[in-house]
Amino acid sequence: MRLALSGGRGAEVAVSGADPLAVLRDRRSRAALAAPAPPRSELQEILTAACAAPDHARLRPWRFIVIEETAREALGDAFAAAQAEREPDATPADLRRTRTKALRAPLIVVVVGTPRPHPKVPVWEQRASAACAAYGVVLAAHVRGHGAMWRTGWYGEAPKVRAHLGLVDGEEVTGWVYLGTPVGPEPAPRPPVDPPITWLG
Ligand SMILES: Cc1cc2nc3c(=O)[nH]c(=O)nc-3n(C[C@H](O)[C@H](O)[C@H](O)COP(=O)(O)O)c2cc1C
């Protein structure tokens, strides 16, 4: 059964009577996103749901930075400054293109992994947990009828961007989750999946 998203403007997925597994199965990332973004109150719920990520020893090895609409220009400037530092030959057109990466959606949630040494929980587990939290943001936004797309990029490691975000040593950008109202044609339904399973029966 395919779930209908009612409008994609903060409306909840119509789960009543439907198979909730379809919410997971039929989710698609949406690259083209426009205003409105989820309002703060709803984003709070989405990020709270994302904090239910599996998390060994309850370290909660992530945090969120929310780039609201008015903060995007400054982030784009940081992207461009980072590119100018990394590629001294970058043209003004290159820098303009890079700046627009911050404007691809009305809101960005930066999921920051905060792994730290722990006697029982290795860093890879904490990174996996942060990735689950990022997926949680995507999924919870989808459930609430918003479009989402998890992206990454070199600029997450660039000192100028890290400084702009206020990241401290050891913190890492797990994902830039772009959120907003999907625009343009709906992506084709996900092709049937044959899960790679080894059954040991
Ligand atoms: C860690 C991670 C980084 C990603 N980075 C990008 C990216 O930079 N650009 C991109 O187009 N897709 C990226 N993706 C993939 C998209 O989020 C998305 O999963 C993909 O387009 C497939 O769409 P679907 O989610 O509808 O299956 C990334 C996914 C993950 C898990």
Side-chain angles (χ1 to χ4, degrees), residues 2 25-26 28 188-196:
R2 222 178 130 66
R25 194 192 57 214
D26 294 338
R28 296 309 313 264
R190 195 180 296 286
V193 173
D194 183 17

mmCIF file of all heavy atoms in Angstrom, residues 2 25-26 28 188-196:
data_model
loop_
_atom_site.group_PDB
_atom_site.id
_atom_site.type_symbol
_atom_site.label_atom_id
_atom_site.label_comp_id
_atom_site.label_asym_id
_atom_site.label_seq_id
_atom_site.Cartn_x
_atom_site.Cartn_y
_atom_site.Cartn_z
ATOM 1 N N ARG A 2 0.564 2.220 -0.822
ATOM 2 C CA ARG A 2 1.348 3.444 -0.876
ATOM 3 C C ARG A 2 0.636 4.527 -0.088
ATOM 4 O O ARG A 2 -0.576 4.685 -0.209
ATOM 5 C CB ARG A 2 1.485 3.884 -2.337
ATOM 6 C CG ARG A 2 2.867 4.372 -2.659
ATOM 7 C CD ARG A 2 2.987 4.740 -4.106
ATOM 8 N NE ARG A 2 3.567 6.079 -4.238
ATOM 9 C CZ ARG A 2 4.786 6.384 -3.886
ATOM 10 N NH1 ARG A 2 5.577 5.481 -3.377
ATOM 11 N NH2 ARG A 2 5.244 7.612 -4.017
ATOM 12 N N ARG A 25 9.214 2.251 3.582
ATOM 13 C CA ARG A 25 9.530 1.659 2.278
ATOM 14 C C ARG A 25 9.376 2.656 1.140
ATOM 15 O O ARG A 25 10.152 2.662 0.191
ATOM 16 C CB ARG A 25 8.590 0.471 2.067
ATOM 17 C CG ARG A 25 8.960 -0.458 0.945
ATOM 18 C CD ARG A 25 7.813 -1.390 0.661
ATOM 19 N NE ARG A 25 6.605 -0.647 0.352
ATOM 20 C CZ ARG A 25 5.376 -1.034 0.684
ATOM 21 N NH1 ARG A 25 5.184 -2.158 1.326
ATOM 22 N NH2 ARG A 25 4.334 -0.298 0.352
ATOM 23 N N ASP A 26 8.393 3.518 1.230
ATOM 24 C CA ASP A 26 8.080 4.394 0.098
ATOM 25 C C ASP A 26 8.691 5.785 0.222
ATOM 26 O O ASP A 26 8.501 6.622 -0.657
ATOM 27 C CB ASP A 26 6.565 4.518 -0.078
ATOM 28 C CG ASP A 26 5.947 3.185 -0.491
ATOM 29 O OD1 ASP A 26 6.690 2.336 -1.024
ATOM 30 O OD2 ASP A 26 4.746 2.990 -0.260
ATOM 31 N N ARG A 28 11.008 8.817 -0.267
ATOM 32 C CA ARG A 28 11.993 9.214 -1.267
ATOM 33 C C ARG A 28 12.630 10.522 -0.837
ATOM 34 O O ARG A 28 11.969 11.379 -0.258
ATOM 35 C CB ARG A 28 11.344 9.428 -2.655
ATOM 36 C CG ARG A 28 10.729 8.196 -3.316
ATOM 37 C CD ARG A 28 11.645 6.997 -3.389
ATOM 38 N NE ARG A 28 12.995 7.230 -3.848
ATOM 39 C CZ ARG A 28 13.415 7.058 -5.096
ATOM 40 N NH1 ARG A 28 12.580 6.659 -6.030
ATOM 41 N NH2 ARG A 28 14.671 7.273 -5.416
ATOM 42 N N ALA A 188 10.006 8.891 -9.087
ATOM 43 C CA ALA A 188 9.373 7.604 -9.413
ATOM 44 C C ALA A 188 9.374 6.736 -8.165
ATOM 45 O O ALA A 188 10.274 6.855 -7.321
ATOM 46 C CB ALA A 188 10.167 6.927 -10.514
ATOM 47 N N PRO A 189 8.374 5.885 -8.044
ATOM 48 C CA PRO A 189 8.386 4.982 -6.889
ATOM 49 C C PRO A 189 9.666 4.160 -6.871
ATOM 50 O O PRO A 189 10.248 3.891 -7.920
ATOM 51 C CB PRO A 189 7.177 4.066 -7.126
ATOM 52 C CG PRO A 189 6.325 4.779 -8.114
ATOM 53 C CD PRO A 189 7.216 5.670 -8.916
ATOM 54 N N ARG A 190 10.093 3.850 -5.685
ATOM 55 C CA ARG A 190 11.325 3.058 -5.543
ATOM 56 C C ARG A 190 11.144 1.706 -6.254
ATOM 57 O O ARG A 190 10.137 1.041 -6.058
ATOM 58 C CB ARG A 190 11.575 2.836 -4.045
ATOM 59 C CG ARG A 190 12.972 2.346 -3.702
ATOM 60 C CD ARG A 190 13.121 2.169 -2.192
ATOM 61 N NE ARG A 190 12.994 3.408 -1.439
ATOM 62 C CZ ARG A 190 13.930 4.353 -1.387
ATOM 63 N NH1 ARG A 190 15.052 4.206 -2.037
ATOM 64 N NH2 ARG A 190 13.739 5.450 -0.687
ATOM 65 N N PRO A 191 12.089 1.320 -7.068
ATOM 66 C CA PRO A 191 11.955 0.017 -7.723
ATOM 67 C C PRO A 191 11.918 -1.097 -6.676
ATOM 68 O O PRO A 191 12.441 -0.925 -5.572
ATOM 69 C CB PRO A 191 13.228 -0.100 -8.572
ATOM 70 C CG PRO A 191 13.849 1.255 -8.574
ATOM 71 C CD PRO A 191 13.336 1.994 -7.380
ATOM 72 N N PRO A 192 11.308 -2.213 -7.020
ATOM 73 C CA PRO A 192 11.247 -3.320 -6.049
ATOM 74 C C PRO A 192 12.649 -3.675 -5.571
ATOM 75 O O PRO A 192 13.601 -3.642 -6.344
ATOM 76 C CB PRO A 192 10.650 -4.481 -6.856
ATOM 77 C CG PRO A 192 10.001 -3.842 -8.037
ATOM 78 C CD PRO A 192 10.706 -2.553 -8.303
ATOM 79 N N VAL A 193 12.748 -3.952 -4.293
ATOM 80 C CA VAL A 193 14.050 -4.232 -3.690
ATOM 81 C C VAL A 193 14.141 -5.720 -3.350
ATOM 82 O O VAL A 193 13.201 -6.292 -2.806
ATOM 83 C CB VAL A 193 14.233 -3.402 -2.399
ATOM 84 C CG1 VAL A 193 15.506 -3.806 -1.677
ATOM 85 C CG2 VAL A 193 14.232 -1.916 -2.716
ATOM 86 N N ASP A 194 15.271 -6.297 -3.694
ATOM 87 C CA ASP A 194 15.533 -7.678 -3.296
ATOM 88 C C ASP A 194 16.607 -7.599 -2.211
ATOM 89 O O ASP A 194 17.783 -7.466 -2.507
ATOM 90 C CB ASP A 194 16.029 -8.458 -4.526
ATOM 91 C CG ASP A 194 16.263 -9.919 -4.196
ATOM 92 O OD1 ASP A 194 15.746 -10.376 -3.154
ATOM 93 O OD2 ASP A 194 16.969 -10.581 -4.969
ATOM 94 N N PRO A 195 16.201 -7.637 -0.934
ATOM 95 C CA PRO A 195 17.202 -7.395 0.117
ATOM 96 C C PRO A 195 18.306 -8.453 0.109
ATOM 97 O O PRO A 195 18.004 -9.636 -0.074
ATOM 98 C CB PRO A 195 16.390 -7.441 1.413
ATOM 99 C CG PRO A 195 15.071 -8.017 1.073
ATOM 100 C CD PRO A 195 14.869 -7.944 -0.405
ATOM 101 N N PRO A 196 19.549 -8.014 0.256
ATOM 102 C CA PRO A 196 20.657 -8.982 0.241
ATOM 103 C C PRO A 196 20.711 -9.758 1.565
ATOM 104 O O PRO A 196 21.329 -9.316 2.528
ATOM 105 C CB PRO A 196 21.896 -8.109 0.067
ATOM 106 C CG PRO A 196 21.484 -6.756 0.578
ATOM 107 C CD PRO A 196 19.996 -6.645 0.451
#
